[in-house]
Amino acid sequence: MKRAITILCLALFAATAGGATVEISTCGWTGSGVTNGWSFANLGEPFADGAAKMGDGTWIASPRWPRASVLSATVTVECSTNAPDRFPQITFLYDDGQPAKPIRFSAVSRADTAEVQTYDANPSRSARGIKISSGTGTCGDWGIFEMALHAKGELAVDSPKSPGLILIIR
């Protein structure tokens, strides 16, 4: 229910802000591949609740949208502990040729419980997509349920349209 409310809030924000929101569920993703234009590598067997399992050397990357700028990413995550020493990180993929500093996820409030975390892109740069990669450390198994990217520009034209991918444009 909490996830449904979050998605509804994002949709309402996108409608009033004149932007676009793209959402993707990563439940059941394993190994390496491409789904709805999103690519991923080395994901472990999904958690019992379906969340894609991040481990050493894993990553998930969005498509790149040349005529849209990603403003923020909302990620629904879980972790096996609320005191991990391993954290995934999100990197906004900017088109200005300057290196982007990864942003480390925050520790979850409660272990094994879905939680929503939101990260903002640098507003003075144009982010064309995101990449989530595993962190280093030994403690903390992370799962990713879904992601929602809020963007401005022509996201619908540049992203694939297929079941499981929802575009809200205003």
Side-chain angles (χ1 to χ4, degrees):
M1 182 66 174
K2 185 177 180 181
R3 281 191 266 173
I5 291 170
T6 301
I7 300 300
L8 179 60
C9 289
L10 284 170
L12 292 173
F13 175 75
T16 59
T21 300
V22 61
E23 300 168 9
I24 188 80
S25 171
T26 58
C27 287
W29 289 8
T30 186
S32 301
V34 177
T35 299
N36 295 325
W38 291 69
S39 53
F40 52 94
N42 307 316
L43 296 176
E45 286 299 314
F47 284 91
D49 55 17
K53 186 174 185 179
M54 300 291 289
D56 292 335
T58 62
W59 55 265
I60 299 171
S62 73
R64 288 189 181 238
W65 294 284
R67 293 184 298 274
S69 184
V70 176
L71 304 173
S72 65
T74 300
V75 185
T76 304
V77 299
E78 71 177 338
C79 186
S80 59
T81 177
N82 64 345
D85 73 355
R86 172 180 29 211
F87 294 87
Q89 53 195 15
I90 184 169
T91 304
F92 288 91
L93 306 174
Y94 298 105
D95 68 353
D96 58 10
Q98 299 297 316
K101 183 177 178 184
I103 303 167
R104 191 179 89 165
F105 280 41
S106 300
V108 295
S109 300
R110 292 185 2 203
D112 299 318
T113 303
E115 182 174 298
V116 175
Q117 297 187 15
T118 300
Y119 301 95
D120 296 321
N122 183 334
S124 65
R125 300 171 74 186
S126 293
R128 303 302 182 192
I130 65 160
K131 183 175 185 177
I132 295 177
S133 54
S134 59
T136 59
T138 58
C139 179
D141 291 326
W142 287 82
I144 309 287
F145 287 98
E146 59 195 8
M147 291 174 272
L149 304 183
H150 177 67
K152 66 178 179 181
E154 296 181 45
L155 188 60
V157 174
D158 300 309
S159 64
K161 294 181 183 179
S162 61
L165 185 66
I166 302 168
L167 294 174
I168 303 167
I169 301 171
R170 173 125 181 141

